[in-house]
Amino acid sequence: MKKKTIATLFALLAAALYAINVPLSKWMLQKAEPTMMAAFLYLGAGLGLMLVRLAEGRKQTEAQAPLTRKELPYTVGMVVLDIAAPILLMLGLSRTNASNASLLNNFEIVATSLIAHFVFREVLSKRLILAISLVTLASVILSFEGEGSFQFHVGSLYVLGACCCWGLENNCTRMLSNKSSTQITTIKGCFSGLGSLIIALAIGEKLPPLPWIGAICLLGFVSYGLSINFYIKAQKDLGAAKTSAYYSIAPFLGVLFGVLLLRERVGVQFCLAFAIMVAAAVLMVRDTISLQHCHTHTHVHTHEHRHGDLVHTHEHSHTHSHTHVHGSDEGNHEHTHAEFGEHDPQ
């Protein structure tokens, strides 16, 4: 199976695992306060991945090198942003419904792609731009589903703030994607969760009941730990912008899970948005298909040499063989170049 196909599956799985976070977190907020909820979600992710690493022991399944001091700025930025983002999301969830929060999470795609393009110089293909536009259109259509489903109030602003934090954090993580994804996720979870816990205790939030702590940690391990781990794996071959585009199905799945778990109603708009989402998904899948072609050409040219007072010309006949692998990003070409020449001095 090709690397890009595997990376695509990782991105889709990451989206599905994360999608269940919003409706279940909304339900669990009845027993846990927002910042405390964010803390145990990330602690569950970090501690869970740490146990996975310990279970693996010396048997390394990844060839990536560990993090070094050179990556410290990106690591610190990743942790700080991962403290802020889930807290903002939980604050938003406590003030709005799960469907609204799921839809607004789609703004993360926009934030990630724009930062990847303008800051990290990732190229966005026309198909990818169109796919992101279609996903945005579908989100707008879904946003009008039901009375008050897209109220632009404080809760929505909190969720949008979380998306901006995650958009920047995605690009920080992209700079570390050649490192161990398990190690990165462990650091993200443990340090971000610990930071959120300190903030929660500092502002006077109370610990939830022990069974709920276990449930929240389990949700964090699945929705954040495994999801982030798969997301990082996908970024290695797809890049931040494209991975976030595949990840765009998460808001749609979040709405679907909200309907199933929280009994939120949907209508005609939901079906129309679903069709647009399918069209966007097709575009994104086609965008990952590499087109390979090979062509050969021969040309003859002469050039003049001057050695002191001696001037002479050489005629060269060159045969070039090029293999082009065109990726999804425009202008991103891989060339294999072989040259065979005949030298005829005159």
Side-chain angles (χ1 to χ4, degrees), residues 3-283:
K3 285 186 177 180
K4 283 191 175 182
T5 302
I6 296 174
T8 300
L9 293 176
F10 279 144
L12 295 174
L13 184 56
L17 292 178
Y18 177 73
I20 66 173
N21 169 60
V22 172
L24 289 182
S25 292
K26 174 69 176 177
W27 177 66
M28 289 181 177
L29 278 169
Q30 60 183 308
K31 292 293 184 179
E33 296 182 81
T35 308
M36 197 66 74
M37 180 84 179
F40 285 111
L41 282 171
Y42 263 59
L43 282 173
L47 294 174
L49 265 296
M50 185 182 294
L51 291 175
V52 170
R53 293 193 73 195
L54 291 175
E56 291 176 352
R58 295 184 178 180
K59 184 180 179 181
Q60 297 294 326
T61 58
E62 295 177 297
Q64 293 79 29
L67 293 172
T68 63
R69 184 175 297 180
K70 184 179 179 181
E71 290 87 27
L72 185 60
Y74 295 110
T75 305
V76 172
M78 177 184 70
V79 170
V80 171
L81 290 166
D82 270 329
I83 291 174
I87 292 176
L88 290 172
L89 178 60
M90 293 305 116
L91 289 171
L93 271 176
S94 65
R95 291 166 172 81
T96 187
N97 59 54
S99 294
N100 187 40
S102 294
L103 296 174
L104 287 170
N105 262 302
N106 208 46
F107 190 75
E108 182 182 340
I109 304 161
V110 179
T112 302
S113 299
L114 291 179
I115 293 170
H117 179 66
F118 290 108
V119 179
F120 295 95
R121 299 291 186 255
E122 282 197 19
V123 180
L124 302 180
S125 69
K126 293 180 180 178
R127 268 200 291 246
L128 184 57
I129 293 173
L130 178 58
I132 291 174
S133 300
L134 287 175
V135 170
T136 303
L137 174 61
S139 296
V140 171
I141 293 173
L142 277 172
S143 69
F144 293 101
E145 184 63 43
E147 184 178 356
S149 65
F150 195 77
Q151 298 176 11
F152 198 75
H153 49 57
V154 176
S156 297
L157 292 176
Y158 278 129
V159 178
L160 288 173
C163 291
C164 289
C165 289
W166 269 318
L168 182 55
E169 186 271 338
N170 287 338
N171 283 279
C172 287
T173 304
R174 175 70 179 96
M175 304 304 293
L176 308 173
S177 61
N178 63 329
K179 304 297 181 177
S180 168
S181 59
T182 306
Q183 182 184 16
I184 294 172
T185 310
T186 302
I187 292 173
K188 286 160 69 82
C190 291
F191 285 94
S192 299
L194 183 59
S196 298
L197 182 60
I198 292 172
I199 293 174
L201 294 174
I203 63 178
E205 289 190 0
K206 297 180 180 179
L207 289 169
L210 189 59
W212 284 90
I213 291 178
I216 295 170
C217 286
L218 179 60
L219 176 61
F221 171 64
V222 173
S223 291
Y224 286 91
L226 293 181
S227 179
I228 291 171
N229 195 34
F230 289 137
Y231 190 98
I232 294 171
K233 287 178 181 292
Q235 279 190 332
K236 293 171 185 174
D237 295 304
L238 297 181
K242 185 175 292 184
T243 303
S244 68
Y246 278 105
Y247 203 73
S248 66
I249 68 169
F252 172 76
L253 292 176
V255 174
L256 180 61
F257 293 148
V259 171
L260 297 175
L261 299 175
L262 303 179
R263 306 298 182 184
E264 295 177 351
R265 300 178 62 186
V266 298
V268 177
Q269 290 93 335
F270 185 88
C271 298
L272 178 60
F274 178 83
I276 296 175
M277 285 281 191
V278 170
V282 171
L283 283 173

